[in-house]
Amino acid sequence: MKAILCRQYCGPDELDYAELPDPVAGPGEAVIAIKAAALNFFDILMIQGKYQIKPPFPFSPGAEVAGVIESVGEGVTDLKPGDRVAASCGHNGAREKIALPAASIVKIPDNLDYDRAAGIFIIYGTALHALEDRASPKPGETLAVLGAAGGTGLAACELGKLMGLKVIACASSDEKLEFAKQHGAELGLNYAKEDLKEGLKKLTGGKGVDIIFDPVGGSYAEAALRSIAWEGRFLVIGFAAGDIPKMPLNLALLKGCDIRGVFWGAWTRINPEKNRANLDKLVKWAAEGKISSHVDRTFPLAQTADALKVLAGRQAMGKVILHP
């Protein structure tokens, strides 16, 4: 089978398009013939050795896949060849086939296409866990989403609206804001043109934002925290801007607010049953059109480097998908 391999820490152009033996399903496993593999911003960090998870070499980027069950191993009774499925695999998605534990694989309905199915788990799983389990949301509260047109930001806009929150999209262009408003945001703030702290204060009538969803980090994080309401919740999702901010803790004291970490990957390992229920719910919502799982663009497997550069340049509005 064909695979994109990271043989040493490198940039997108140094990845290797190579041939590997087909995987074999071990006990409790199933082999998926991959029809679509979703990329995320952290794939760039992973191949550069800058991510907290460091798979052994050689590995493939791509943490989410959708496709068809090709074979099952001993003891697998709830999957069979031909089933349409999707899974979160952590890495090794940028290849034609993958063997995964059957317990991690979710069946998808016939009316959900592979591209959209591949892009559900990480961005919506993260956003749902952040908003449902970490944010303590109350209907009618304000939710400011930084990087609102990116994958995770867009998911937070859609899920925030579904939960009855008033969503404020924050992004670096009017085009991105308009896109976020098509996906659940009620208000928009262009932080390339307007001061983030003052803008959020103004949009909330001086009260400040109840919940801040921040997958961006960098210089925007502190500005957003300074706009938070009394007893607000600041959700640390990730650091797409590259720099990990060092927050002045006196702000947490003065605002009576919480800074809450959101590490979906670790949470899924600690709470596998709750995560499985979340994923089943998200697949159902996607099939019903309640969430868009919007695909920005697709690339053939051989052009994985180009796909990663789109993410690195923060050009994508929604998901970037590979077709093995």
PDB file of all heavy atoms in Angstrom, residues 56-93:
ATOM      1  N   PRO A  56       6.815   6.704  17.198  1.00  0.00           N
ATOM      2  CA  PRO A  56       8.092   6.183  16.702  1.00  0.00           C
ATOM      3  C   PRO A  56       8.166   6.296  15.178  1.00  0.00           C
ATOM      4  O   PRO A  56       7.143   6.198  14.495  1.00  0.00           O
ATOM      5  CB  PRO A  56       8.087   4.721  17.149  1.00  0.00           C
ATOM      6  CG  PRO A  56       6.639   4.375  17.341  1.00  0.00           C
ATOM      7  CD  PRO A  56       5.962   5.640  17.775  1.00  0.00           C
ATOM      8  N   PHE A  57       9.381   6.517  14.669  1.00  0.00           N
ATOM      9  CA  PHE A  57       9.587   6.578  13.211  1.00  0.00           C
ATOM     10  C   PHE A  57       9.559   5.170  12.620  1.00  0.00           C
ATOM     11  O   PHE A  57       9.948   4.218  13.290  1.00  0.00           O
ATOM     12  CB  PHE A  57      10.947   7.226  12.898  1.00  0.00           C
ATOM     13  CG  PHE A  57      11.077   8.651  13.348  1.00  0.00           C
ATOM     14  CD1 PHE A  57      12.053   9.014  14.269  1.00  0.00           C
ATOM     15  CD2 PHE A  57      10.243   9.643  12.855  1.00  0.00           C
ATOM     16  CE1 PHE A  57      12.198  10.324  14.679  1.00  0.00           C
ATOM     17  CE2 PHE A  57      10.381  10.956  13.262  1.00  0.00           C
ATOM     18  CZ  PHE A  57      11.362  11.298  14.176  1.00  0.00           C
ATOM     19  N   PRO A  58       9.172   5.022  11.364  1.00  0.00           N
ATOM     20  CA  PRO A  58       8.497   6.037  10.554  1.00  0.00           C
ATOM     21  C   PRO A  58       6.995   6.033  10.870  1.00  0.00           C
ATOM     22  O   PRO A  58       6.438   4.987  11.203  1.00  0.00           O
ATOM     23  CB  PRO A  58       8.749   5.552   9.127  1.00  0.00           C
ATOM     24  CG  PRO A  58       8.813   4.053   9.244  1.00  0.00           C
ATOM     25  CD  PRO A  58       9.403   3.771  10.605  1.00  0.00           C
ATOM     26  N   PHE A  59       6.376   7.194  10.783  1.00  0.00           N
ATOM     27  CA  PHE A  59       4.928   7.272  10.994  1.00  0.00           C
ATOM     28  C   PHE A  59       4.327   8.183   9.925  1.00  0.00           C
ATOM     29  O   PHE A  59       5.039   8.932   9.260  1.00  0.00           O
ATOM     30  CB  PHE A  59       4.602   7.787  12.401  1.00  0.00           C
ATOM     31  CG  PHE A  59       4.997   9.225  12.649  1.00  0.00           C
ATOM     32  CD1 PHE A  59       4.135  10.277  12.337  1.00  0.00           C
ATOM     33  CD2 PHE A  59       6.238   9.538  13.195  1.00  0.00           C
ATOM     34  CE1 PHE A  59       4.506  11.604  12.565  1.00  0.00           C
ATOM     35  CE2 PHE A  59       6.616  10.863  13.424  1.00  0.00           C
ATOM     36  CZ  PHE A  59       5.751  11.896  13.109  1.00  0.00           C
ATOM     37  N   SER A  60       3.025   8.089   9.783  1.00  0.00           N
ATOM     38  CA  SER A  60       2.305   8.958   8.852  1.00  0.00           C
ATOM     39  C   SER A  60       1.531  10.010   9.640  1.00  0.00           C
ATOM     40  O   SER A  60       1.021   9.715  10.720  1.00  0.00           O
ATOM     41  CB  SER A  60       1.295   8.154   8.022  1.00  0.00           C
ATOM     42  OG  SER A  60       1.935   7.127   7.299  1.00  0.00           O
ATOM     43  N   PRO A  61       1.419  11.237   9.113  1.00  0.00           N
ATOM     44  CA  PRO A  61       0.477  12.175   9.718  1.00  0.00           C
ATOM     45  C   PRO A  61      -0.957  11.707   9.435  1.00  0.00           C
ATOM     46  O   PRO A  61      -1.166  10.711   8.741  1.00  0.00           O
ATOM     47  CB  PRO A  61       0.789  13.497   9.020  1.00  0.00           C
ATOM     48  CG  PRO A  61       1.398  13.103   7.709  1.00  0.00           C
ATOM     49  CD  PRO A  61       2.108  11.799   7.942  1.00  0.00           C
ATOM     50  N   GLY A  62      -1.916  12.458   9.952  1.00  0.00           N
ATOM     51  CA  GLY A  62      -3.321  12.110   9.721  1.00  0.00           C
ATOM     52  C   GLY A  62      -3.901  11.344  10.887  1.00  0.00           C
ATOM     53  O   GLY A  62      -3.589  10.170  11.084  1.00  0.00           O
ATOM     54  N   ALA A  63      -4.744  12.009  11.687  1.00  0.00           N
ATOM     55  CA  ALA A  63      -5.253  11.411  12.923  1.00  0.00           C
ATOM     56  C   ALA A  63      -6.693  10.938  12.834  1.00  0.00           C
ATOM     57  O   ALA A  63      -7.225  10.418  13.807  1.00  0.00           O
ATOM     58  CB  ALA A  63      -5.117  12.420  14.071  1.00  0.00           C
ATOM     59  N   GLU A  64      -7.332  11.112  11.665  1.00  0.00           N
ATOM     60  CA  GLU A  64      -8.732  10.706  11.511  1.00  0.00           C
ATOM     61  C   GLU A  64      -8.909  10.078  10.138  1.00  0.00           C
ATOM     62  O   GLU A  64      -8.357  10.575   9.161  1.00  0.00           O
ATOM     63  CB  GLU A  64      -9.660  11.914  11.603  1.00  0.00           C
ATOM     64  CG  GLU A  64      -9.527  12.740  12.857  1.00  0.00           C
ATOM     65  CD  GLU A  64     -10.228  14.085  12.703  1.00  0.00           C
ATOM     66  OE1 GLU A  64      -9.637  15.011  12.117  1.00  0.00           O
ATOM     67  OE2 GLU A  64     -11.381  14.190  13.148  1.00  0.00           O
ATOM     68  N   VAL A  65      -9.694   9.005  10.102  1.00  0.00           N
ATOM     69  CA  VAL A  65      -9.913   8.318   8.827  1.00  0.00           C
ATOM     70  C   VAL A  65     -11.377   7.894   8.696  1.00  0.00           C
ATOM     71  O   VAL A  65     -12.089   7.727   9.690  1.00  0.00           O
ATOM     72  CB  VAL A  65      -9.022   7.060   8.692  1.00  0.00           C
ATOM     73  CG1 VAL A  65      -7.542   7.442   8.689  1.00  0.00           C
ATOM     74  CG2 VAL A  65      -9.309   6.045   9.789  1.00  0.00           C
ATOM     75  N   ALA A  66     -11.795   7.727   7.448  1.00  0.00           N
ATOM     76  CA  ALA A  66     -13.087   7.113   7.149  1.00  0.00           C
ATOM     77  C   ALA A  66     -12.893   6.193   5.956  1.00  0.00           C
ATOM     78  O   ALA A  66     -12.062   6.460   5.084  1.00  0.00           O
ATOM     79  CB  ALA A  66     -14.142   8.170   6.843  1.00  0.00           C
ATOM     80  N   GLY A  67     -13.634   5.102   5.942  1.00  0.00           N
ATOM     81  CA  GLY A  67     -13.483   4.157   4.844  1.00  0.00           C
ATOM     82  C   GLY A  67     -14.350   2.929   5.036  1.00  0.00           C
ATOM     83  O   GLY A  67     -15.417   2.984   5.655  1.00  0.00           O
ATOM     84  N   VAL A  68     -13.859   1.798   4.509  1.00  0.00           N
ATOM     85  CA  VAL A  68     -14.627   0.554   4.492  1.00  0.00           C
ATOM     86  C   VAL A  68     -13.828  -0.532   5.205  1.00  0.00           C
ATOM     87  O   VAL A  68     -12.611  -0.657   4.990  1.00  0.00           O
ATOM     88  CB  VAL A  68     -14.908   0.126   3.029  1.00  0.00           C
ATOM     89  CG1 VAL A  68     -15.681  -1.173   2.989  1.00  0.00           C
ATOM     90  CG2 VAL A  68     -15.678   1.213   2.298  1.00  0.00           C
ATOM     91  N   ILE A  69     -14.499  -1.300   6.041  1.00  0.00           N
ATOM     92  CA  ILE A  69     -13.830  -2.430   6.690  1.00  0.00           C
ATOM     93  C   ILE A  69     -13.424  -3.449   5.624  1.00  0.00           C
ATOM     94  O   ILE A  69     -14.249  -3.915   4.831  1.00  0.00           O
ATOM     95  CB  ILE A  69     -14.751  -3.107   7.730  1.00  0.00           C
ATOM     96  CG1 ILE A  69     -15.081  -2.140   8.875  1.00  0.00           C
ATOM     97  CG2 ILE A  69     -14.107  -4.387   8.268  1.00  0.00           C
ATOM     98  CD1 ILE A  69     -13.912  -1.788   9.763  1.00  0.00           C
ATOM     99  N   GLU A  70     -12.133  -3.783   5.625  1.00  0.00           N
ATOM    100  CA  GLU A  70     -11.619  -4.768   4.660  1.00  0.00           C
ATOM    101  C   GLU A  70     -11.540  -6.160   5.275  1.00  0.00           C
ATOM    102  O   GLU A  70     -11.820  -7.166   4.623  1.00  0.00           O
ATOM    103  CB  GLU A  70     -10.236  -4.331   4.171  1.00  0.00           C
ATOM    104  CG  GLU A  70      -9.676  -5.189   3.073  1.00  0.00           C
ATOM    105  CD  GLU A  70      -8.335  -4.651   2.555  1.00  0.00           C
ATOM    106  OE1 GLU A  70      -7.313  -4.895   3.228  1.00  0.00           O
ATOM    107  OE2 GLU A  70      -8.340  -3.983   1.511  1.00  0.00           O
ATOM    108  N   SER A  71     -11.134  -6.219   6.549  1.00  0.00           N
ATOM    109  CA  SER A  71     -11.031  -7.513   7.235  1.00  0.00           C
ATOM    110  C   SER A  71     -11.100  -7.282   8.738  1.00  0.00           C
ATOM    111  O   SER A  71     -10.851  -6.168   9.216  1.00  0.00           O
ATOM    112  CB  SER A  71      -9.712  -8.216   6.872  1.00  0.00           C
ATOM    113  OG  SER A  71      -8.608  -7.418   7.273  1.00  0.00           O
ATOM    114  N   VAL A  72     -11.465  -8.324   9.478  1.00  0.00           N
ATOM    115  CA  VAL A  72     -11.517  -8.227  10.945  1.00  0.00           C
ATOM    116  C   VAL A  72     -10.708  -9.353  11.564  1.00  0.00           C
ATOM    117  O   VAL A  72     -10.560 -10.432  10.980  1.00  0.00           O
ATOM    118  CB  VAL A  72     -12.971  -8.261  11.466  1.00  0.00           C
ATOM    119  CG1 VAL A  72     -13.772  -7.089  10.921  1.00  0.00           C
ATOM    120  CG2 VAL A  72     -13.658  -9.570  11.129  1.00  0.00           C
ATOM    121  N   GLY A  73     -10.182  -9.063  12.746  1.00  0.00           N
ATOM    122  CA  GLY A  73      -9.391 -10.055  13.461  1.00  0.00           C
ATOM    123  C   GLY A  73     -10.238 -10.914  14.388  1.00  0.00           C
ATOM    124  O   GLY A  73     -11.452 -10.731  14.523  1.00  0.00           O
ATOM    125  N   GLU A  74      -9.570 -11.842  15.041  1.00  0.00           N
ATOM    126  CA  GLU A  74     -10.226 -12.766  15.967  1.00  0.00           C
ATOM    127  C   GLU A  74     -10.950 -11.999  17.073  1.00  0.00           C
ATOM    128  O   GLU A  74     -10.438 -11.023  17.619  1.00  0.00           O
ATOM    129  CB  GLU A  74      -9.141 -13.663  16.581  1.00  0.00           C
ATOM    130  CG  GLU A  74      -9.660 -14.732  17.514  1.00  0.00           C
ATOM    131  CD  GLU A  74      -8.509 -15.481  18.186  1.00  0.00           C
ATOM    132  OE1 GLU A  74      -7.385 -15.458  17.645  1.00  0.00           O
ATOM    133  OE2 GLU A  74      -8.754 -16.042  19.256  1.00  0.00           O
ATOM    134  N   GLY A  75     -12.175 -12.414  17.351  1.00  0.00           N
ATOM    135  CA  GLY A  75     -12.921 -11.821  18.461  1.00  0.00           C
ATOM    136  C   GLY A  75     -13.746 -10.598  18.099  1.00  0.00           C
ATOM    137  O   GLY A  75     -14.484 -10.080  18.945  1.00  0.00           O
ATOM    138  N   VAL A  76     -13.645 -10.136  16.858  1.00  0.00           N
ATOM    139  CA  VAL A  76     -14.414  -8.947  16.451  1.00  0.00           C
ATOM    140  C   VAL A  76     -15.761  -9.413  15.900  1.00  0.00           C
ATOM    141  O   VAL A  76     -15.829 -10.134  14.906  1.00  0.00           O
ATOM    142  CB  VAL A  76     -13.663  -8.124  15.382  1.00  0.00           C
ATOM    143  CG1 VAL A  76     -14.525  -6.954  14.909  1.00  0.00           C
ATOM    144  CG2 VAL A  76     -12.346  -7.626  15.938  1.00  0.00           C
ATOM    145  N   THR A  77     -16.845  -9.007  16.575  1.00  0.00           N
ATOM    146  CA  THR A  77     -18.179  -9.470  16.183  1.00  0.00           C
ATOM    147  C   THR A  77     -19.094  -8.341  15.718  1.00  0.00           C
ATOM    148  O   THR A  77     -20.108  -8.608  15.063  1.00  0.00           O
ATOM    149  CB  THR A  77     -18.858 -10.185  17.370  1.00  0.00           C
ATOM    150  OG1 THR A  77     -18.895  -9.299  18.494  1.00  0.00           O
ATOM    151  CG2 THR A  77     -18.102 -11.452  17.751  1.00  0.00           C
ATOM    152  N   ASP A  78     -18.759  -7.077  16.070  1.00  0.00           N
ATOM    153  CA  ASP A  78     -19.678  -5.977  15.742  1.00  0.00           C
ATOM    154  C   ASP A  78     -19.300  -5.243  14.461  1.00  0.00           C
ATOM    155  O   ASP A  78     -19.924  -4.249  14.101  1.00  0.00           O
ATOM    156  CB  ASP A  78     -19.783  -4.989  16.908  1.00  0.00           C
ATOM    157  CG  ASP A  78     -18.432  -4.469  17.357  1.00  0.00           C
ATOM    158  OD1 ASP A  78     -17.410  -5.055  16.956  1.00  0.00           O
ATOM    159  OD2 ASP A  78     -18.390  -3.473  18.106  1.00  0.00           O
ATOM    160  N   LEU A  79     -18.266  -5.722  13.762  1.00  0.00           N
ATOM    161  CA  LEU A  79     -17.878  -5.150  12.470  1.00  0.00           C
ATOM    162  C   LEU A  79     -17.700  -6.282  11.475  1.00  0.00           C
ATOM    163  O   LEU A  79     -17.301  -7.393  11.849  1.00  0.00           O
ATOM    164  CB  LEU A  79     -16.560  -4.372  12.592  1.00  0.00           C
ATOM    165  CG  LEU A  79     -16.553  -3.098  13.442  1.00  0.00           C
ATOM    166  CD1 LEU A  79     -15.119  -2.608  13.632  1.00  0.00           C
ATOM    167  CD2 LEU A  79     -17.409  -1.999  12.822  1.00  0.00           C
ATOM    168  N   LYS A  80     -17.958  -5.965  10.201  1.00  0.00           N
ATOM    169  CA  LYS A  80     -17.756  -6.982   9.166  1.00  0.00           C
ATOM    170  C   LYS A  80     -17.252  -6.305   7.897  1.00  0.00           C
ATOM    171  O   LYS A  80     -17.453  -5.093   7.710  1.00  0.00           O
ATOM    172  CB  LYS A  80     -19.061  -7.740   8.890  1.00  0.00           C
ATOM    173  CG  LYS A  80     -20.173  -6.887   8.312  1.00  0.00           C
ATOM    174  CD  LYS A  80     -21.456  -7.687   8.151  1.00  0.00           C
ATOM    175  CE  LYS A  80     -22.527  -6.880   7.424  1.00  0.00           C
ATOM    176  NZ  LYS A  80     -22.849  -5.583   8.073  1.00  0.00           N
ATOM    177  N   PRO A  81     -16.572  -7.057   7.011  1.00  0.00           N
ATOM    178  CA  PRO A  81     -16.108  -6.463   5.760  1.00  0.00           C
ATOM    179  C   PRO A  81     -17.255  -5.798   5.007  1.00  0.00           C
ATOM    180  O   PRO A  81     -18.366  -6.321   4.943  1.00  0.00           O
ATOM    181  CB  PRO A  81     -15.552  -7.670   4.988  1.00  0.00           C
ATOM    182  CG  PRO A  81     -15.105  -8.612   6.062  1.00  0.00           C
ATOM    183  CD  PRO A  81     -16.124  -8.461   7.160  1.00  0.00           C
ATOM    184  N   GLY A  82     -16.976  -4.595   4.478  1.00  0.00           N
ATOM    185  CA  GLY A  82     -17.980  -3.834   3.756  1.00  0.00           C
ATOM    186  C   GLY A  82     -18.644  -2.748   4.583  1.00  0.00           C
ATOM    187  O   GLY A  82     -19.273  -1.844   4.023  1.00  0.00           O
ATOM    188  N   ASP A  83     -18.517  -2.808   5.921  1.00  0.00           N
ATOM    189  CA  ASP A  83     -19.114  -1.763   6.758  1.00  0.00           C
ATOM    190  C   ASP A  83     -18.456  -0.407   6.492  1.00  0.00           C
ATOM    191  O   ASP A  83     -17.223  -0.317   6.368  1.00  0.00           O
ATOM    192  CB  ASP A  83     -18.941  -2.095   8.253  1.00  0.00           C
ATOM    193  CG  ASP A  83     -19.916  -3.147   8.743  1.00  0.00           C
ATOM    194  OD1 ASP A  83     -20.865  -3.472   8.012  1.00  0.00           O
ATOM    195  OD2 ASP A  83     -19.717  -3.647   9.876  1.00  0.00           O
ATOM    196  N   ARG A  84     -19.273   0.642   6.419  1.00  0.00           N
ATOM    197  CA  ARG A  84     -18.769   2.019   6.291  1.00  0.00           C
ATOM    198  C   ARG A  84     -18.475   2.538   7.689  1.00  0.00           C
ATOM    199  O   ARG A  84     -19.348   2.503   8.569  1.00  0.00           O
ATOM    200  CB  ARG A  84     -19.802   2.916   5.598  1.00  0.00           C
ATOM    201  CG  ARG A  84     -20.212   2.454   4.226  1.00  0.00           C
ATOM    202  CD  ARG A  84     -21.309   3.332   3.623  1.00  0.00           C
ATOM    203  NE  ARG A  84     -20.767   4.584   3.101  1.00  0.00           N
ATOM    204  CZ  ARG A  84     -20.919   5.774   3.651  1.00  0.00           C
ATOM    205  NH1 ARG A  84     -21.602   5.919   4.781  1.00  0.00           N
ATOM    206  NH2 ARG A  84     -20.405   6.857   3.095  1.00  0.00           N
ATOM    207  N   VAL A  85     -17.251   3.027   7.899  1.00  0.00           N
ATOM    208  CA  VAL A  85     -16.810   3.375   9.258  1.00  0.00           C
ATOM    209  C   VAL A  85     -15.938   4.622   9.261  1.00  0.00           C
ATOM    210  O   VAL A  85     -15.472   5.086   8.218  1.00  0.00           O
ATOM    211  CB  VAL A  85     -16.012   2.209   9.901  1.00  0.00           C
ATOM    212  CG1 VAL A  85     -16.870   0.968  10.076  1.00  0.00           C
ATOM    213  CG2 VAL A  85     -14.758   1.894   9.076  1.00  0.00           C
ATOM    214  N   ALA A  86     -15.714   5.134  10.475  1.00  0.00           N
ATOM    215  CA  ALA A  86     -14.755   6.215  10.695  1.00  0.00           C
ATOM    216  C   ALA A  86     -14.079   5.981  12.037  1.00  0.00           C
ATOM    217  O   ALA A  86     -14.610   5.256  12.895  1.00  0.00           O
ATOM    218  CB  ALA A  86     -15.454   7.577  10.663  1.00  0.00           C
ATOM    219  N   ALA A  87     -12.909   6.588  12.218  1.00  0.00           N
ATOM    220  CA  ALA A  87     -12.169   6.388  13.471  1.00  0.00           C
ATOM    221  C   ALA A  87     -11.162   7.511  13.679  1.00  0.00           C
ATOM    222  O   ALA A  87     -10.677   8.121  12.725  1.00  0.00           O
ATOM    223  CB  ALA A  87     -11.438   5.040  13.445  1.00  0.00           C
ATOM    224  N   SER A  88     -10.864   7.744  14.935  1.00  0.00           N
ATOM    225  CA  SER A  88      -9.739   8.604  15.312  1.00  0.00           C
ATOM    226  C   SER A  88      -8.567   7.685  15.622  1.00  0.00           C
ATOM    227  O   SER A  88      -8.683   6.783  16.454  1.00  0.00           O
ATOM    228  CB  SER A  88     -10.117   9.439  16.547  1.00  0.00           C
ATOM    229  OG  SER A  88      -8.990  10.113  17.046  1.00  0.00           O
ATOM    230  N   CYS A  89      -7.445   7.905  14.931  1.00  0.00           N
ATOM    231  CA  CYS A  89      -6.314   6.976  15.057  1.00  0.00           C
ATOM    232  C   CYS A  89      -5.059   7.622  15.657  1.00  0.00           C
ATOM    233  O   CYS A  89      -4.073   6.934  15.889  1.00  0.00           O
ATOM    234  CB  CYS A  89      -5.994   6.346  13.706  1.00  0.00           C
ATOM    235  SG  CYS A  89      -5.756   7.534  12.362  1.00  0.00           S
ATOM    236  N   GLY A  90      -5.056   8.927  15.863  1.00  0.00           N
ATOM    237  CA  GLY A  90      -3.899   9.604  16.465  1.00  0.00           C
ATOM    238  C   GLY A  90      -2.825   9.972  15.461  1.00  0.00           C
ATOM    239  O   GLY A  90      -2.338  11.096  15.446  1.00  0.00           O
ATOM    240  N   HIS A  91      -2.446   9.024  14.623  1.00  0.00           N
ATOM    241  CA  HIS A  91      -1.496   9.245  13.519  1.00  0.00           C
ATOM    242  C   HIS A  91      -1.629   8.042  12.582  1.00  0.00           C
ATOM    243  O   HIS A  91      -2.429   7.150  12.835  1.00  0.00           O
ATOM    244  CB  HIS A  91      -0.047   9.408  14.028  1.00  0.00           C
ATOM    245  CG  HIS A  91       0.456   8.241  14.795  1.00  0.00           C
ATOM    246  ND1 HIS A  91       0.150   8.047  16.125  1.00  0.00           N
ATOM    247  CD2 HIS A  91       1.253   7.195  14.440  1.00  0.00           C
ATOM    248  CE1 HIS A  91       0.728   6.935  16.551  1.00  0.00           C
ATOM    249  NE2 HIS A  91       1.397   6.393  15.553  1.00  0.00           N
ATOM    250  N   ASN A  92      -0.877   8.056  11.484  1.00  0.00           N
ATOM    251  CA  ASN A  92      -0.870   6.965  10.492  1.00  0.00           C
ATOM    252  C   ASN A  92      -2.103   6.935   9.588  1.00  0.00           C
ATOM    253  O   ASN A  92      -2.360   5.943   8.909  1.00  0.00           O
ATOM    254  CB  ASN A  92      -0.682   5.588  11.149  1.00  0.00           C
ATOM    255  CG  ASN A  92       0.753   5.364  11.588  1.00  0.00           C
ATOM    256  OD1 ASN A  92       1.660   6.089  11.171  1.00  0.00           O
ATOM    257  ND2 ASN A  92       0.971   4.371  12.443  1.00  0.00           N
ATOM    258  N   GLY A  93      -2.841   8.050   9.514  1.00  0.00           N
ATOM    259  CA  GLY A  93      -3.999   8.093   8.627  1.00  0.00           C
ATOM    260  C   GLY A  93      -3.653   8.336   7.170  1.00  0.00           C
ATOM    261  O   GLY A  93      -4.429   7.985   6.281  1.00  0.00           O
TER     262      GLY A  93
END
